[in-house]
Amino acid sequence: MSQFATDTRVERVGDNLWRGELRRGWRIGAVPNGGYVLAVAGRALSEALPHRDPLAVNAFYLAPADLGPVECRVELLRAGRSISHAEVKMYQQGELRVQVTAAYTDLDALSGETWSGAPRPDFPGWDDCLPSGQKKLEFRERVDIRLASGAEVFSRREPDGSGQFLGWVRHADGTDPDVISLLMFADAFPPPAFTLFGPLHWVPTVELTVQVRARPAPGPLQARLFSRHLTRGVIEEDGEYWDSAGQLVAISRQTARIRVG
Amino acid sequence: MSQFATDTRVERVGDNLWRGELRRGWRIGAVPNGGYVLAVAGRALSEALPHRDPLAVNAFYLAPADLGPVECRVELLRAGRSISHAEVKMYQQGELRVQVTAAYTDLDALSGETWSGAPRPDFPGWDDCLPSGQKKLEFRERVDIRLASGAEVFSRREPDGSGQFLGWVRHADGTDPDVISLLMFADAFPPPAFTLFGPLHWVPTVELTVQVRARPAPGPLQARLFSRHLTRGVIEEDGEYWDSAGQLVAISRQTARIRVG
């Protein structure tokens, strides 16, 4: 069993109540990574709903999570033929930490047109990209990142001003990504604002939406993370993720707040 | 009072319970526009919460809304110093139609760095752009749209293949946009997929997030709506909105489903 599967495991403990545990290995500083926390909710939904795959998942982060048990109160909002909707309220020590709303589906049953107006970026493969640095982050024990652009922010403290990181991401234990892990990988890259201002101390996520498009093929994910509009400390972070077969598997957007200096 | 203010008015009818009415004038086909419905929830939140301005608002559309009364059950999730979080469940005839989660703030109190990696697009002003066509849409009684690109989809049924509409949008009664109206304007443009496939019959929104950045100055809003990734019938629609003073006031993203032919 992969470390990710172990660390996002949930157990049904009551009507619409699932219990998980936020484990060490996934923290950025003192706080479990928001994508990892979302993946625990995603796992509960996958077990609770008639449809197993996330199509669109939104999370609002009300308070930083801690290590330890987390209660997931799942409410089925509507069960349709091709989509189920639900919310998850994630509690720790009786306090609501994260509010999740989701549409789940069967990704293999999606049908219709496919088109892309933004081709997969062309950059060197995993072996020819640079480790992201940030070796002191506990999160790097679980997630390996290689950067094709932006790495000099960490190696030489030289922001390139692009608002963009390009690179690869995978489980550190070498296991392949499953569809739930996309919820975690969507919050795994360093904030693109680092390419503007250098590494910042703390970039809290206000809310994050992940749109899943396909079940990933084995191998590392190719990622493009970028920001375009920073307004008085409020910024969006957009992500695009392709699997090793070149297929778009997810896009993401979050609202974050940054404080420079 | 503007038509928009009248048509999004809500009344407190109980503890955490607000009642609005979805009025005619805002429908796309038989269904009230999703942005208009979201604005009614936004109005309730603005009255219910300690902070008055939306910062990030997400809605999942579970079932099409109808004309008539709508019950907004507001739950305050957390009241912080600078941000309040809440959810709104919107019911009609006892059925949950829309689930909204939001972070509200005081936009005038935002402080921090401002930066843009995607400048405001340069295209002709309101008077030099073309009406969008779609005159048969009831929604056009309330919202005027002028297009700088993409109009030939409607006038000559010629999709330009760009995945993008550029143009302007304003209240048809000439009133100026307020901050809540941004939630409506974020769903006002025709789907960018029309520039790929021509006008489609029905493009239902799965979920929509609007990130508000500033209170708009008087005058029409400049808008860029685009899609980049259509995967087996699932597409994102991204919007950027600037006020008449050239200030970015909101960005938006929705997941929609399209069926061609």
Side-chain angles (χ1 to χ4, degrees):
Chain A
M1 201 181 202
S2 75
Q3 190 74 50
F4 176 75
T6 301
D7 291 352
T8 56
R9 205 166 38 194
V10 293
E11 184 192 2
R12 187 169 189 175
V13 292
D15 273 0
N16 307 315
L17 189 61
W18 301 76
R19 183 171 296 142
E21 176 152 354
L22 303 182
R23 295 176 187 272
R24 72 162 296 294
W26 301 92
R27 288 179 294 178
I28 310 279
V31 179
N33 170 264
Y36 164 62
V37 176
L38 182 58
V40 173
R43 194 72 77 195
L45 287 169
S46 198
E47 300 195 8
L49 297 182
H51 298 94
R52 309 296 296 271
D53 302 323
L55 175 65
V57 182
N58 169 266
F60 277 77
Y61 295 88
L62 313 185
D66 294 316
L67 294 188
V70 57
E71 238 184 46
C72 299
R73 300 187 193 165
V74 176
E75 184 185 348
L76 177 67
L77 301 174
R78 188 182 186 94
R81 192 181 54 80
S82 63
I83 295 185
S84 306
H85 291 91
E87 67 165 46
V88 186
K89 292 185 192 295
M90 303 185 81
Y91 285 87
Q92 288 187 303
Q93 285 108 40
E95 183 190 37
L96 181 62
R97 306 293 176 99
V98 183
Q99 165 107 354
V100 176
T101 316
Y104 267 53
T105 192
D106 174 359
L107 287 173
D108 299 326
L110 290 181
S111 69
E113 300 282 331
T114 293
W115 168 86
S116 174
R120 189 166 59 92
D122 184 22
F123 56 77
W126 176 275
D127 291 333
D128 297 317
C129 286
L130 297 168
S132 78
Q134 300 187 285
K135 280 179 193 159
K136 287 180 192 163
L137 283 186
E138 181 185 286
F139 186 62
R140 287 291 168 278
E141 298 173 18
R142 297 285 179 261
V143 174
D144 278 349
I145 291 177
R146 292 286 175 93
L147 293 177
S149 85
E152 53 288 342
V153 173
F154 303 105
S155 57
R156 300 198 303 268
R157 304 271 143 178
E158 284 176 15
D160 66 10
S162 66
Q164 174 173 278
F165 284 113
L166 297 171
W168 301 85
V169 64
R170 70 176 185 193
H171 292 304
D173 65 3
T175 53
D176 291 317
D178 70 348
V179 73
I180 296 296
S181 69
L182 296 173
L183 305 181
M184 181 277 291
F185 285 126
D187 192 38
F189 258 54
F194 286 12
T195 70
L196 304 173
F197 304 108
L200 301 169
H201 180 58
W202 177 232
V203 183
T205 302
V206 175
E207 54 88 28
L208 165 65
T209 301
V210 185
Q211 298 184 6
V212 176
R213 297 295 177 84
R215 213 175 297 290
L221 298 170
Q222 191 171 1
R224 175 172 176 247
L225 268 288
F226 57 101
S227 295
R228 283 180 302 199
H229 301 291
L230 168 62
T231 310
R232 289 177 292 145
V234 178
I235 196 164
E236 88 288 356
E237 299 180 3
D238 287 354
E240 300 170 308
Y241 311 88
W242 294 264
D243 66 13
S244 63
Q247 169 187 233
L248 183 84
V249 291
I251 63 172
S252 65
R253 170 172 285 179
Q254 66 173 263
T255 306
R257 301 179 82 184
I258 71 171
R259 184 69 58 192
V260 178
Chain B
M1 203 179 201
S2 74
Q3 190 74 50
F4 176 74
T6 300
D7 291 351
T8 56
R9 207 165 37 192
V10 292
E11 183 191 5
R12 186 169 190 175
V13 293
D15 273 0
N16 307 314
L17 189 61
W18 302 76
R19 183 169 298 142
E21 178 154 354
L22 302 182
R23 297 175 186 272
R24 70 162 297 292
W26 302 91
R27 287 180 294 179
I28 310 279
V31 178
N33 169 265
Y36 164 62
V37 176
L38 182 58
V40 172
R43 194 72 77 194
L45 288 169
S46 197
E47 299 195 7
L49 297 182
H51 298 94
R52 309 296 296 272
D53 302 324
L55 175 64
V57 182
N58 168 266
F60 278 77
Y61 295 87
L62 313 185
D66 294 316
L67 294 188
V70 57
E71 239 184 45
C72 299
R73 299 187 193 163
V74 176
E75 183 185 349
L76 177 66
L77 300 174
R78 188 182 186 93
R81 192 181 54 79
S82 63
I83 295 185
S84 306
H85 292 90
E87 67 165 47
V88 186
K89 291 185 191 299
M90 304 184 81
Y91 286 87
Q92 289 187 303
Q93 284 109 42
E95 183 190 38
L96 181 61
R97 306 293 177 99
V98 183
Q99 165 106 354
V100 176
T101 316
Y104 267 53
T105 193
D106 174 359
L107 287 173
D108 299 324
L110 290 180
S111 68
E113 299 282 332
T114 293
W115 167 85
S116 175
R120 190 166 58 91
D122 184 21
F123 57 75
W126 176 276
D127 291 332
D128 297 317
C129 286
L130 297 168
S132 78
Q134 299 189 286
K135 280 179 195 162
K136 287 181 192 163
L137 284 186
E138 181 185 286
F139 185 62
R140 287 290 170 277
E141 298 173 19
R142 297 283 180 263
V143 173
D144 277 349
I145 290 177
R146 292 285 175 94
L147 292 177
S149 86
E152 53 287 345
V153 173
F154 303 104
S155 57
R156 299 197 304 268
R157 305 272 143 176
E158 285 176 13
D160 66 10
S162 66
Q164 173 174 278
F165 282 114
L166 297 171
W168 302 86
V169 63
R170 69 175 186 192
H171 292 305
D173 66 4
T175 53
D176 292 316
D178 70 348
V179 73
I180 296 297
S181 69
L182 297 174
L183 304 181
M184 181 277 292
F185 286 125
D187 192 38
F189 258 54
F194 286 12
T195 69
L196 304 173
F197 304 107
L200 302 169
H201 180 58
W202 176 231
V203 183
T205 302
V206 176
E207 54 87 29
L208 165 65
T209 301
V210 186
Q211 298 185 7
V212 177
R213 297 295 178 85
R215 212 175 295 291
L221 297 170
Q222 190 171 3
R224 175 172 175 247
L225 268 287
F226 57 102
S227 295
R228 282 178 305 197
H229 302 291
L230 168 62
T231 309
R232 289 177 290 144
V234 178
I235 197 164
E236 87 288 356
E237 300 181 3
D238 287 353
E240 301 170 306
Y241 310 89
W242 295 265
D243 66 13
S244 62
Q247 170 186 232
L248 182 84
V249 291
I251 64 174
S252 65
R253 171 172 284 178
Q254 67 174 262
T255 306
R257 301 180 80 184
I258 71 172
R259 185 69 58 191
V260 178

